[in-house]
């Protein structure tokens, strides 16, 4: 992967992370789940940290790991929105 491709992937992942953060924030606000120990808030914090790590990483493998975290957070949100369970 060229440096340009790596940088482009970082940009795409930053956008993906921002989208997930916005969705988690919206859900937490709608359901009044803003206490720090709530699962939605914990997931938000984990995604926030992963998003910050994107620009610090230098390896494609690390980006893969972060993307896996984003995918997990998306699935988490999808399920709690569908099931209504937190």
């Amino acid at each position: 992967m060229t440096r340009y491709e790596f940088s482009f992937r970082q940009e795409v992942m930053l956008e993906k992370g921002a989208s997930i953060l916005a969705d988690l924030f919206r859900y937490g606000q709608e359901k009044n789940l803003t206490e720090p120990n709530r699962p939605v808030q914990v997931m938000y914090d984990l995604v926030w940290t992963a998003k910050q790590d994107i620009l610090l990483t230098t390896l494609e493998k690390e980006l893969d790991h972060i993307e896996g975290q984003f995918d997990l957070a998306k699935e988490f949100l999808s399920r709690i929105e569908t099931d209504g369970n937190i």
Side-chain angles (χ1 to χ4, degrees), residues 12-76:
V12 170
M13 287 183 59
L14 286 169
E15 291 298 321
K16 182 177 183 177
S19 175
I20 295 166
L21 287 173
D23 291 343
L24 286 166
F25 181 80
R26 176 195 44 79
Y27 183 83
Q29 291 295 308
E30 287 175 1
K31 303 294 184 182
N32 197 26
L33 304 171
T34 57
E35 296 88 17
N37 61 343
R38 292 292 211 164
V40 172
Q41 188 61 41
V42 171
M43 185 62 71
Y44 182 93
D45 292 343
L46 291 171
V47 172
W48 177 266
T49 300
K51 187 174 177 287
Q52 300 305 307
D53 290 344
I54 291 170
L55 295 177
L56 299 176
T57 188
T58 58
L59 301 174
E60 188 175 353
K61 181 179 175 182
E62 293 169 338
L63 287 181
D64 292 340
H65 178 75
I66 293 168
E67 189 161 28
Q69 291 176 315
F70 287 171
D71 291 341
L72 176 66
K74 262 180 98 167
E75 182 65 23
F76 169 82

Side-chain angles (χ1 to χ4, degrees), residues 4-17:
Y4 173 80
E5 291 168 328
F6 187 84
S7 295
F8 183 73
R9 184 169 179 210
Q10 285 176 307
E11 285 295 321
V12 170
M13 287 183 59
L14 286 169
E15 291 298 321
K16 182 177 183 177

